[in-house]
Amino acid sequence: MKDTEDKIKEFVKRVEDRTNDVLDDSLMDDDANSENINVDYTDIVKNSAKAKISKLPWLIAIFLIFIIAIILGFMFFSNNPKTLFTQTVDGLFAYLEENVNDNVYDITDGNISLDSNIKSTDENSELYNNLSKVSFSADYVKDSASDKNYIDLKTTYDGDDFVSAKVYGDGDNTYIYSPIVSDNYFRLSSNKLSYFTDGNDIKIILKGVNQAIDKVIADEKVYGSKENLDVDGEVIRSYRTKFVIDKNNRNRVLETFINTLKANDEFVSVLANMKMVKNSDIRKSLDNYMSKLEDKLKLCNKLEISLYINDKTNEFIKAEALSELGNISFDRKEENKFIYTISNKNDGTLSNGEFVFNVNDNKTKYTYNLYYKQTKNNKVLFESNIDLKYTSKKADNFADVDVSNSVDIDKVGGLEKLAIYTKIMATPNLSQFLPIIKEII
């Protein structure tokens, strides 16, 4: 037994001796050994813990510097003129998209009503005066699955029943019927009702234009400055972001904008469906449109587009476009109220007006009011006030219309047209709109 205890003690001693040798070799450098510092295992453990603790303030400092750098970077980009310009544009398009009814149902119905008050000093003043006495109301049904549409139009003149008409699109042709003209439907030469734009299509168009503008801004210089704006007698501190189009970047801006639209397959497809043409036709039209825009921008020489936002809240206040052709300003007065001013330097006219719209929470009822006035040398040339109401909701069915006895309007002969004109002239007040009717038939 004693022999066993002696062997255990000898083993422990050998382990301790070897541990001290290893510590001497691996944990002590030459300088430390030369200074003859006594180090044991316990001291090494304690010193390692202190070393770790001593590094903690540095780690905290590095972490804080990292956080501060992120915050400063965020502040830089959020206050960068280009970022603010893009955010303001995106916000305006988002505002429009949020107020679009995107409830896509197979069948929808609703009503559209229109009232107007138009005054003019040109040769069409009498026509506008009579048109202001007419109120329009149309009940409609739309079958998106089969591209069928039906509109029942009724009008009043000075409050009395006036003209009624029915318009029917079966997906292939468009037909019009009015009892004051004929007992049969007329089939139009072009099918204008085969495609009826819905909310989803409008959103695709808005997003496409928004993306194209963002792409342009990403490649261009945007300037920023703080300015005081007088808004209804109240001075508001604003931040102005300015984007300039001139001879130096005109072609690049146009190519980026148009090519971005052309590359957007959804955008092109929606426009093609609306115009009943091929996608390739839309892309060709966009190329042609680029040439027209280029000519217009050359006339502008230099176009400055400025967006003003509240410096505290970042809310949109005003948009402005300045050029040698004239100036355009667009101000937001209330949540759904905007005013605009357009000055034309070529003819010296000044146009201004107001636009107000409201939509219910379900986006099934919209009301619009547009006021427009054009003056020259303080003389009113044209003035109009238009009220439009629009409703849309889900419907249960679509009733087909019997158009088997319809007449092709292109095949209507001279005598038949004379008979139609005779009926129109015999209808009280309808002869006043003969110039418009001739354009239709």
Side-chain angles (χ1 to χ4, degrees), residues 13 44 48 51 62 74 90 94 105 190 231 243 248 268-269 282 305 311 354 358 402 405 428:
K13 186 175 184 305
I44 293 297
S48 297
I62 292 173
F74 176 78
D90 291 347
Y105 302 116
S190 59
V231 180
F243 170 52
N248 297 317
V268 171
S269 179
I282 293 298
I305 302 173
D311 196 31
E354 181 180 284
N358 292 284
D402 183 8
N405 294 324

Side-chain angles (χ1 to χ4, degrees), residues 243-275:
F243 170 52
V244 179
I245 303 176
D246 55 22
K247 62 181 181 179
N248 297 317
N249 66 345
R250 183 187 302 131
N251 292 337
R252 183 174 63 247
V253 166
L254 289 174
E255 288 177 2
T256 300
F257 181 75
I258 296 298
N259 289 337
T260 303
L261 293 179
K262 288 167 58 179
N264 190 327
D265 292 336
E266 277 192 311
F267 176 86
V268 171
S269 179
V270 167
L271 288 183
N273 287 332
M274 291 174 63
K275 297 180 69 67

